[in-house]
Amino acid sequence: MMKVVLKLEYVDEKVKQKVMKKVSVVEGVESMSMDTKDKKLTVVGNVDPVVIVSKLKKLCHTEIVLVGPAKEPEKKKDNEPKKTEDKKKAAAIKAYPAPVLYQYQYQQPYPQYPTPVPAYQHYYSVEEDSNSCVIC
């Protein structure tokens, strides 16, 4: 289960309704909610955020704000050394977030084919060419 938060830029309520229809059809959506004040859409389920954005790009400008687990794991309060390790890991993750990898991040337009090499090359020598001029 994943939680995906998207920021939308729409003008009408009609566009909002179309967005809700498009997202509800995507396979794996468990629930969705729309915050009209901040214009944020929250989708929970086994979905790919890139698929959702590609469905919505024709309707309005869409940005991915957050992708993460649907429910945060419960923290145990038994061992204090684990707390300090967790804090260190959280600080490291916060300082250096993992890069987001998209399915179609970069695609080369066309494969590069090598230039064809001629089957043979003929070199002319001075003796073969009667019109050549050589100063000896």
PDB file of all heavy atoms in Angstrom, residues 78 86 103 111 117 131:
ATOM      1  N   ASP A  78      11.134   0.221  23.631  1.00  0.00           N
ATOM      2  CA  ASP A  78      11.818  -0.680  24.551  1.00  0.00           C
ATOM      3  C   ASP A  78      13.294  -0.334  24.724  1.00  0.00           C
ATOM      4  O   ASP A  78      13.793  -0.266  25.840  1.00  0.00           O
ATOM      5  CB  ASP A  78      11.689  -2.127  24.072  1.00  0.00           C
ATOM      6  CG  ASP A  78      10.243  -2.596  24.108  1.00  0.00           C
ATOM      7  OD1 ASP A  78       9.447  -1.978  24.838  1.00  0.00           O
ATOM      8  OD2 ASP A  78       9.944  -3.565  23.389  1.00  0.00           O
ATOM      9  N   ASP A  86      17.851   5.289  15.163  1.00  0.00           N
ATOM     10  CA  ASP A  86      16.751   5.717  14.298  1.00  0.00           C
ATOM     11  C   ASP A  86      16.830   7.209  14.021  1.00  0.00           C
ATOM     12  O   ASP A  86      16.559   7.653  12.903  1.00  0.00           O
ATOM     13  CB  ASP A  86      15.400   5.371  14.937  1.00  0.00           C
ATOM     14  CG  ASP A  86      15.139   3.871  14.971  1.00  0.00           C
ATOM     15  OD1 ASP A  86      15.791   3.155  14.176  1.00  0.00           O
ATOM     16  OD2 ASP A  86      14.299   3.438  15.776  1.00  0.00           O
ATOM     17  N   GLN A 103       9.780   5.885 -14.548  1.00  0.00           N
ATOM     18  CA  GLN A 103       9.874   4.833 -15.541  1.00  0.00           C
ATOM     19  C   GLN A 103      10.421   5.376 -16.863  1.00  0.00           C
ATOM     20  O   GLN A 103      11.238   4.754 -17.508  1.00  0.00           O
ATOM     21  CB  GLN A 103       8.501   4.213 -15.766  1.00  0.00           C
ATOM     22  CG  GLN A 103       8.524   3.020 -16.683  1.00  0.00           C
ATOM     23  CD  GLN A 103       7.148   2.401 -16.803  1.00  0.00           C
ATOM     24  OE1 GLN A 103       6.187   2.908 -16.246  1.00  0.00           O
ATOM     25  NE2 GLN A 103       7.056   1.321 -17.532  1.00  0.00           N
ATOM     26  N   PRO A 111      18.139   5.323 -32.148  1.00  0.00           N
ATOM     27  CA  PRO A 111      19.421   4.641 -31.929  1.00  0.00           C
ATOM     28  C   PRO A 111      20.459   5.151 -32.916  1.00  0.00           C
ATOM     29  O   PRO A 111      20.142   5.501 -34.055  1.00  0.00           O
ATOM     30  CB  PRO A 111      19.090   3.171 -32.170  1.00  0.00           C
ATOM     31  CG  PRO A 111      17.849   3.167 -32.968  1.00  0.00           C
ATOM     32  CD  PRO A 111      17.107   4.428 -32.629  1.00  0.00           C
ATOM     33  N   VAL A 117      30.851   1.675 -43.975  1.00  0.00           N
ATOM     34  CA  VAL A 117      32.221   1.686 -44.466  1.00  0.00           C
ATOM     35  C   VAL A 117      32.206   1.075 -45.863  1.00  0.00           C
ATOM     36  O   VAL A 117      31.605   0.019 -46.068  1.00  0.00           O
ATOM     37  CB  VAL A 117      33.143   0.858 -43.539  1.00  0.00           C
ATOM     38  CG1 VAL A 117      34.564   0.851 -44.060  1.00  0.00           C
ATOM     39  CG2 VAL A 117      33.089   1.408 -42.133  1.00  0.00           C
ATOM     40  N   ASN A 131      48.236  11.825 -65.932  1.00  0.00           N
ATOM     41  CA  ASN A 131      48.121  13.293 -65.890  1.00  0.00           C
ATOM     42  C   ASN A 131      48.749  13.893 -64.644  1.00  0.00           C
ATOM     43  O   ASN A 131      48.658  15.104 -64.437  1.00  0.00           O
ATOM     44  CB  ASN A 131      46.646  13.688 -65.926  1.00  0.00           C
ATOM     45  CG  ASN A 131      46.018  13.344 -67.240  1.00  0.00           C
ATOM     46  OD1 ASN A 131      46.703  13.315 -68.264  1.00  0.00           O
ATOM     47  ND2 ASN A 131      44.736  13.068 -67.233  1.00  0.00           N
TER      48      ASN A 131
END
